């Protein structure tokens, strides 16, 4: 069974920072479209940032300039560095991987992500 193992998250003050990590099996890490999604309380899950197998990232407008994706090839881990956090960043964050690698973008439907992590909570207070 494929597992995406998330770590990081927690609580931060507005303006602070947090880092999320997602460890993936090597073949998924190197070949799949991977991304981070979030689901704020009472709202639908949305794409935050995705990265294709070549390492090219895309970010939602709401996080551009504040969040950064990075890949650690040795650890086959995808990380999301979150800076200048806002209260509205509060959500459950999920790592996901899609085999639709050729169409990797923020517009890729969530239904085309075959693997999901268990989620990690991020809470930002004012």
């Amino acid at each position: 069974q494929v597992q995406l193992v998330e770590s990081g998250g927690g609580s931060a003050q507005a303006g602070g920072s947090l880092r999320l990590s997602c460890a993936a099996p090597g073949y998924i890490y190197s070949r799949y479209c991977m991304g981070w999604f979030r689901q704020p309380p009472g709202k639908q899950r949305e794409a935050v940032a995705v990265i294709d197998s070549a390492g090219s990232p895309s970010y939602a407008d709401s996080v551009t300039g504040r969040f950064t994706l990075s890949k650690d090839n040795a650890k086959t881990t995808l990380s999301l560095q979150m800076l200048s956090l806002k209260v509205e960043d509060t959500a459950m964050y999920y790592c996901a991987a899609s085999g639709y690698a050729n169409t990797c973008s923020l517009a890729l439907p969530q239904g085309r992500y075959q693997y999901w992590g268990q989620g990690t909570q991020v809470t930002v207070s004012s």
Side-chain angles (χ1 to χ4, degrees), residues 45-118:
R45 190 167 57 191
E46 61 183 6
V48 174
V50 301
I51 188 165
D52 64 20
S53 57
S56 178
S58 298
Y59 301 96
D61 290 344
S62 60
V63 305
T64 296
R66 300 188 299 120
F67 291 11
T68 303
L69 282 170
S70 62
K71 300 184 81 173
D72 184 330
N73 294 335
K75 298 180 179 179
T76 63
T77 296
L78 174 68
S79 294
L80 181 69
Q81 180 68 53
M82 305 184 292
L83 304 176
S84 301
L85 284 165
K86 302 177 179 181
V87 172
E88 50 265 42
D89 293 321
T90 295
M92 183 70 78
Y93 283 71
Y94 298 91
C95 176
S98 170
Y100 290 85
N102 292 335
T103 55
C104 187
S105 74
L106 289 170
L108 185 63
Q110 293 185 33
R112 294 192 175 182
Y113 284 80
Q114 290 86 2
Y115 306 111
W116 292 83
Q118 76 282 3

Side-chain angles (χ1 to χ4, degrees), residues 1 3 5 15 22 28 35-36 43 47-49 54 64 67 76 78-79 86 97 99 101 122-123:
Q1 183 177 356
Q3 284 188 312
V5 181
C22 173
I28 287 181
W36 286 95
K43 297 184 179 181
V48 174
T64 296
F67 291 11
T76 63
L78 174 68
S79 294
K86 302 177 179 181
V122 170
T123 302

